[in-house]
Amino acid sequence: MATRTLAELAKTIRSKNAGTDRITFDVVFHTRDDYEHVKNSGVLTRETVAALFKVDDARIVDFVNFDPAYAIKFTFARPQPSGSPGEGDVFGCQQYPPLLDILVPMD
């Protein structure tokens, strides 16, 4: 069975702050066909994201297939607000690379 990585199918994989207590990840695809294929394959779901990032799925406060932008977006609750005293949350800048290697069956 032929496979491609999510990094090959996506135009952009990024993280961004969604306020002091949340971080959002965007996976934006090159084409509608690539987006629909990944969306319907079941390789990128709330459950697979929770397992990939080793978090309880209750920390995923939003998971959206955003058809107009060919994007899958999900938001995590941070363990503590960003910028708190002693805060060492580097979740966004260090945690999106696991998304790059997700294998998507193409057959």
Side-chain angles (χ1 to χ4, degrees), residues 17-90:
N17 286 327
T20 59
D21 60 344
R22 295 182 180 190
I23 189 161
T24 294
F25 292 78
D26 298 330
V27 181
V28 183
F29 295 89
H30 290 285
T31 67
R32 177 178 273 297
D33 287 344
D34 289 343
Y35 164 69
E36 291 290 340
H37 183 80
V38 172
K39 180 174 88 168
N40 295 323
S41 72
V43 299
L44 195 58
T45 64
R46 176 185 295 270
E47 294 77 21
T48 60
V49 165
L52 180 68
F53 287 95
K54 298 175 179 56
V55 299
D56 186 305
D57 65 356
R59 281 206 37 215
I60 302 173
V61 295
D62 203 14
F63 191 97
V64 176
N65 294 312
F66 189 60
D67 294 344
Y70 311 147
I72 297 173
K73 300 171 173 264
F74 50 93
T75 301
F76 286 98
R78 291 180 185 268
Q80 62 186 25
S82 177
S84 297
E87 182 263 326
D89 180 12
V90 291

Side-chain angles (χ1 to χ4, degrees), residues 3-14 26-30 34 38 43-44 96-104 106:
T3 60
R4 293 181 65 193
T5 64
L6 194 60
E8 293 172 308
L9 297 172
K11 175 171 55 175
T12 303
I13 298 175
R14 66 180 176 213
D26 298 330
V27 181
V28 183
F29 295 89
H30 290 285
D34 289 343
V38 172
V43 299
L44 195 58
Y96 69 85
L99 292 170
L100 303 176
D101 297 325
I102 290 176
L103 292 177
V104 180
M106 298 307 291

